[in-house]
Amino acid sequence: MMEQRLSMVTLAVDDLPATRHFLEAGLGWEPGELPGEDIVFYQAGGSILALYKRDALARELGRPVPAQALGSVTLAWNARSEEEVQFTFQRAVDAGAVVVKRPEKAFWGGYSSYVEIPGGHLLEIAYNPFWPIDKEGNISLSAPETA
Amino acid sequence: MMEQRLSMVTLAVDDLPATRHFLEAGLGWEPGELPGEDIVFYQAGGSILALYKRDALARELGRPVPAQALGSVTLAWNARSEEEVQFTFQRAVDAGAVVVKRPEKAFWGGYSSYVEIPGGHLLEIAYNPFWPIDKEGNISLSAPETA
C-alpha cells in the first residue's frame, strides 16, 4: 500500500537568494547541506521544503515552469497559539512578505493569516485549536480526547 | 523561534470529487472526518494534505485563485525503493494521472518520475538513496552514517 504522507514540497523561484534570505535571515530557518547553486533543502519536521531555481527545474522536467498562480497551492505553518500567529505573521512581514490577510478569527473556529512570501508563494500562518501539535511539531487531524 | 516545519499543503481544485476519487479510489488514501462539501483533509505523516474547492478558497482569501501553474509547486512522495517508484507511478497513471516523466535514473543519483494528478497539480514519485525514511515515514536530509 502507498504510505499516506508527503515527503517534500518544492517551490519554483526565480530569485533563489531572495527567497533564501527571507527564510533564513527573516524567519531563522536553517538549510541543509547545499548540493549546488540551483537548489536548497530545508528539513521541515518529517518532510522537506525545497527551493528550486525555475530554469533548472524546467530543464529537469523538460517543459517550462510558469510563475506561481497565487493560491493554487498554499503552504500552511500552524502555530501553537493565537499570540504565536501574531508574532510569526509580523516577523514574516518585517522580513519582506506581502500581507494578503491579517490575523483574524476564521469562520472555521481558528485564527488565520496569509502572506505572499518573496518568490511569489502563498503562506498561511494559523492556529487551529482542533488540531493538536505534538512536541516534535507533528500536527494531527484527530481532536484531543475529551476528559 | 519559529519551529522549522510544514503543517499543511492545500491544493485548490475545481472538481473536488474528481481529485478525491484519484486519491482515495486510485491511491488508497483515507480522508479525515469531512467538515463540509468544499474541503477535505488527509493526514499525511506529521503534516496534512488538503483539497479545497477553488471558489471557496477564493472567498476565504478575498481574491480569485487562478489555476495551478504546473511545476510552480511540486509535491513529492518518496518511495523506499526504485521498485516502489515503478509500482506507485503505474498505480497513479492507472488512476488517471497524466505522465510528465516516466521513472528513470536522475542526474542527482536517485530515481524519479513526475505525473500531473487530476486537478492539475504536479506530483513527483521518487526514490532518493541519500535520504533515509524511518518506519513512521519521516524523511531526513541527513545521510545515514557510514559504518
Side-chain angles (χ1 to χ4, degrees):
Chain A
M1 293 308 294
M2 184 179 182
E3 293 171 58
Q4 194 164 318
R5 53 182 167 74
L6 293 173
S7 306
M8 183 164 67
V9 178
T10 301
L11 306 180
V13 294
D14 289 308
D15 185 345
L16 184 59
T19 307
R20 283 193 63 182
H21 184 80
F22 170 77
L23 280 172
E24 296 170 27
L27 298 186
W29 283 44
E30 291 183 6
E33 213 174 321
L34 297 175
E37 288 181 359
D38 292 334
I39 198 159
V40 55
F41 299 109
Y42 301 87
Q43 187 72 47
S47 296
I48 292 164
L49 175 67
L51 306 178
Y52 202 169
K53 280 186 71 175
R54 190 182 314 279
D55 52 359
L57 174 58
R59 282 195 297 276
E60 179 171 347
L61 288 176
R63 56 164 71 188
V65 174
Q68 158 75 336
L70 202 71
S72 66
V73 178
T74 304
L75 304 186
W77 184 87
N78 276 43
R80 294 173 185 274
S81 66
E82 295 189 4
E83 293 67 29
E84 201 186 8
V85 171
Q86 292 166 348
F87 178 84
T88 306
F89 171 84
Q90 193 56 51
R91 184 171 179 178
V93 171
D94 290 345
V98 175
V99 175
V100 173
K101 194 172 201 173
R102 292 189 173 278
E104 62 175 42
K105 296 275 185 191
F107 69 91
W108 44 264
Y111 188 72
S112 167
S113 65
Y114 287 89
V115 296
E116 178 181 342
I117 72 169
H121 293 275
L122 193 66
L123 176 67
E124 182 181 13
I125 299 166
Y127 169 63
N128 185 331
F130 309 109
W131 290 353
I133 299 176
D134 71 15
K135 67 178 171 16
E136 284 77 32
N138 299 303
I139 193 166
S140 173
L141 287 176
S142 323
E145 298 290 324
T146 50
Chain B
M1 296 305 295
M2 183 180 183
E3 294 171 58
Q4 193 164 318
R5 53 182 167 73
L6 293 174
S7 306
M8 184 165 65
V9 178
T10 300
L11 306 180
V13 293
D14 290 307
D15 184 347
L16 185 59
T19 307
R20 283 192 63 180
H21 184 79
F22 171 77
L23 279 172
E24 296 170 27
L27 299 185
W29 283 44
E30 289 182 9
E33 213 174 320
L34 297 174
E37 288 183 0
D38 291 334
I39 198 159
V40 56
F41 299 109
Y42 300 87
Q43 187 72 46
S47 297
I48 292 164
L49 174 67
L51 305 178
Y52 202 170
K53 278 185 73 174
R54 190 181 313 278
D55 51 359
L57 174 58
R59 282 195 298 276
E60 179 170 348
L61 287 177
R63 56 165 69 188
V65 174
Q68 158 75 336
L70 202 71
S72 67
V73 178
T74 304
L75 305 185
W77 184 87
N78 276 43
R80 295 173 185 272
S81 66
E82 296 190 3
E83 293 67 29
E84 201 187 8
V85 171
Q86 293 167 348
F87 178 84
T88 305
F89 171 85
Q90 191 57 50
R91 184 171 178 178
V93 171
D94 290 347
V98 175
V99 176
V100 173
K101 194 172 200 172
R102 292 190 173 277
E104 62 176 39
K105 294 277 185 189
F107 70 90
W108 44 265
Y111 189 73
S112 167
S113 64
Y114 287 90
V115 296
E116 178 182 343
I117 71 170
H121 293 277
L122 193 65
L123 176 67
E124 181 182 13
I125 299 166
Y127 169 64
N128 184 331
F130 309 109
W131 290 354
I133 300 175
D134 71 15
K135 66 180 172 16
E136 284 76 32
N138 299 304
I139 193 166
S140 174
L141 287 175
S142 322
E145 297 291 324
T146 49

